[in-house]
Amino acid sequence: MVILRPANVDLVADGQLLSREPFSGRADVVALDRYLPSSWLTVTGDTATLNAAVVLTPGATLDSGGDVRTLKLVGGATQSDAASLYTGGGHLILRSITVTSADPKSQAALPPSAAGRPVIVVSSNGRLESTDVTITDLGTLPTGTDDGQAGVLFNPNSTGFLTRTTLARNSIGLELSQSLNVRLQDVTASDSAEDGIVLRGDRGTTMSGIRATGNAGSGMDVTGLNSSRPITGVSTTGNGDYGVAVDKQKGARINGITTVADQSGGLRISQSADTVVTDLTATDEPIGLFTNVNSTGTVIDRMRTTGGLRGMVIEKTTHGLQVRASTFAGTRVAGIAVGGHEVQLDGVQIDDCRTGVRVERGASDVAVTGIVVNRGHDGIVMAEGTSGVVVTDTTVNDVVSDGIRTFSPNTRITGGRIVGGSTGIDAAAATSISGTSIESAQGIAARPTGSVHADRISIDAEDVGVNASTGSSVVLSNSRVHALEAIRGVVGQQGINDLSLPPLNLLGAIGVPVILLAIALELVHAIRQRRVGVFPRRSRPGPPLGRTQSQGGAHRARRQDPQRQRVASGSVSMTATAGTTGVVTLNDTDRGDFS
């Protein structure tokens, strides 16, 4: 072990002081080489290999500086044998250098399972400054009662900064444990065996440009004692658990987080109270945001998710959550899945999700206000075993199936508009609907288990306006229903209801095919007539032989008399003046008189 003091350098082995030499209090790696035996430190070109732990005391400074660009810390059989760097109360400066571990024999980097992998520890009142540095293959994993150590660890009341620093393939990339005023700027934690970055009760930390990629655990884990520092400027990609996990925190402020394709989800909030999340962006996540384990008082503002399975999952133990002004697009299962209690969705837009909002079994007191659902399969679906669901001023456009489908007793739907879909509102439980406008193939469908009271609604349906299944109870009051079949089944009516055919534009759309069919049939008929040809007219027979000129004149006179009735040849029924009826048969001669 090497101990750097303000006035001297101590070399210690097996608890025994081997030597003490005068020291100026500050040295770089090359200068340190003059104090140490070659078996402890060698410098070859721009690479230094350190085979002893270095501990700084208050007032001492070790600066990587100089011409060294790679510093190898040799591992040992145990952590105490590793060539780790401890700031103690001193000052460690790393600049433009790569710090990594090395096997004592092969000089290759040590794997995470190696018990004696070196670490960098910033001790209480110590300081670490890292600029343009890469720190790789450091830290140990938990084994038995040993919790392991992060590659870079800030202990309580330690401080410093990391700027443009990459932490790769460490056990945990970086851990701040009750540290004080550490500044993180453009820090990347990648491919860690556990979490990328752990914030454990740190105070006064500022962060920007944080990237966590490909870590086996979460990209960032926020846990331990409560802290007032904001969690901001973090982007995560492809981590094995969540992009950012927040556990057992009170009053956490999370802002400007971007997550992409982490294996469990983007952001998890667990066992936390009064958390505020602003400007979270999640892309292709199984769950964009997940709240669970009795989290309370959570506010989500301006969240945006794209793709993935579910934009947000509010687990059943969550109480008091509000989502505002957020957008969810293209999720394969649901935009928002609500299983918690006292949940408010305000001003949310959901596009192209299979289901816009799913209220899951066990949820209660869910208020959906002013949301817009565009396209997808279903708009809002409420499962059995839910209660206290209120939907207000919601707009659903062009879904494939149901705008709203509810199995939740005493669902209240107020205002809003539903356009498109096979059914506007599918009610399988007691539902009250007020002031809602529906334009769909079927306006309202009441299942046998449904009880619907619809007041002041407007329906323009292509097929059925209100479909009351046998066994359902439906009351319609002061409403307007225009459809080919305004009401199907037994529907009670109150007040003044306008029940009629659908609008003219819909009738026109229905009539156009009929008109086109009629025109087509007429054309077919005309073509067939041309093929058959026109029959020649039968010529009128001449006057019979032997008829005198006077008789012919009399016949012509009768033919020219406009008062005479023309009768076709054959049998004609005639009525006598006495009221008797007879049949007169006209011969060929008589037919001429009626021709």
Side-chain angles (χ1 to χ4, degrees), residues 33-43 49-51:
D33 186 40
R34 296 195 295 268
Y35 296 92
L36 305 183
S38 59
S39 60
W40 289 24
L41 177 63
T42 60
V43 178
T49 302
L50 180 64
N51 198 15

Side-chain angles (χ1 to χ4, degrees), residues 146-158:
D146 185 357
D147 293 334
Q149 278 191 305
V152 178
L153 171 63
F154 282 77
N155 275 324
N157 298 315
S158 61

Side-chain angles (χ1 to χ4, degrees), residues 207-270:
M207 61 189 80
S208 64
I210 309 301
R211 292 175 294 277
T213 64
N215 301 287
S218 295
M220 176 178 285
D221 186 17
V222 183
T223 186
L225 298 175
N226 293 317
S227 173
S228 61
R229 52 92 178 89
I231 304 162
T232 185
V234 179
S235 63
T236 73
T237 304
N239 296 286
D241 200 0
Y242 285 87
V244 176
V246 178
D247 299 299
K248 301 177 182 177
Q249 298 296 293
K250 181 176 176 59
R253 297 295 181 265
I254 305 169
N255 179 52
I257 304 297
T258 300
T259 71
V260 179
D262 300 292
Q263 292 188 24
S264 294
L267 171 63
R268 186 192 69 199
I269 300 173
S270 180

Side-chain angles (χ1 to χ4, degrees), residues 74-314:
V74 178
T78 65
Q79 182 63 52
S80 61
D81 297 325
S84 299
L85 301 178
Y86 299 92
T87 67
H91 189 180
L92 175 62
I93 301 173
L94 302 176
R95 294 180 292 170
S96 304
I97 193 171
T98 296
V99 182
T100 186
S101 65
D103 183 89
K105 296 179 180 179
S106 67
Q107 294 296 299
L110 292 168
S113 58
R117 255 199 342 176
V119 296
I120 297 175
V121 178
V122 189
S123 305
S124 179
N125 299 316
R127 181 178 180 87
L128 169 63
E129 297 179 5
S130 173
T131 306
D132 298 319
V133 172
T134 298
I135 301 172
T136 70
D137 302 294
L138 301 183
T140 59
L141 296 176
T143 56
T145 58
D146 185 357
D147 293 334
Q149 278 191 305
V152 178
L153 171 63
F154 282 77
N155 275 324
N157 298 315
S158 61
T159 190
F161 64 81
L162 277 70
T163 301
R164 298 187 299 278
T165 296
T166 297
L167 307 151
R169 300 187 302 278
N170 299 313
S171 54
I172 293 173
L174 169 68
E175 180 176 342
L176 306 185
S177 181
Q178 301 182 52
S179 58
L180 182 63
N181 299 330
V182 175
R183 185 175 77 250
L184 305 178
Q185 181 178 355
D186 297 330
V187 173
T188 299
S190 66
D191 303 303
S192 303
E194 297 181 272
D195 299 324
I197 298 174
V198 174
L199 304 181
R200 193 184 304 275
D202 54 301
R203 296 164 293 160
T205 304
T206 60
M207 61 189 80
S208 64
I210 309 301
R211 292 175 294 277
T213 64
N215 301 287
S218 295
M220 176 178 285
D221 186 17
V222 183
T223 186
L225 298 175
N226 293 317
S227 173
S228 61
R229 52 92 178 89
I231 304 162
T232 185
V234 179
S235 63
T236 73
T237 304
N239 296 286
D241 200 0
Y242 285 87
V244 176
V246 178
D247 299 299
K248 301 177 182 177
Q249 298 296 293
K250 181 176 176 59
R253 297 295 181 265
I254 305 169
N255 179 52
I257 304 297
T258 300
T259 71
V260 179
D262 300 292
Q263 292 188 24
S264 294
L267 171 63
R268 186 192 69 199
I269 300 173
S270 180
Q271 302 181 75
S272 297
D274 304 328
T275 305
V276 177
V277 180
T278 308
D279 294 322
L280 167 65
T281 300
T283 304
D284 294 331
E285 298 282 10
I287 303 173
L289 186 149
F290 181 43
T291 64
N292 70 336
V293 193
N294 297 310
S295 291
T296 61
T298 307
V299 176
I300 312 298
D301 200 6
R302 300 194 301 273
M303 175 180 173
R304 295 174 296 278
T305 71
T306 304
L309 296 178
R310 297 170 176 84
M312 178 184 297
V313 174
I314 305 166

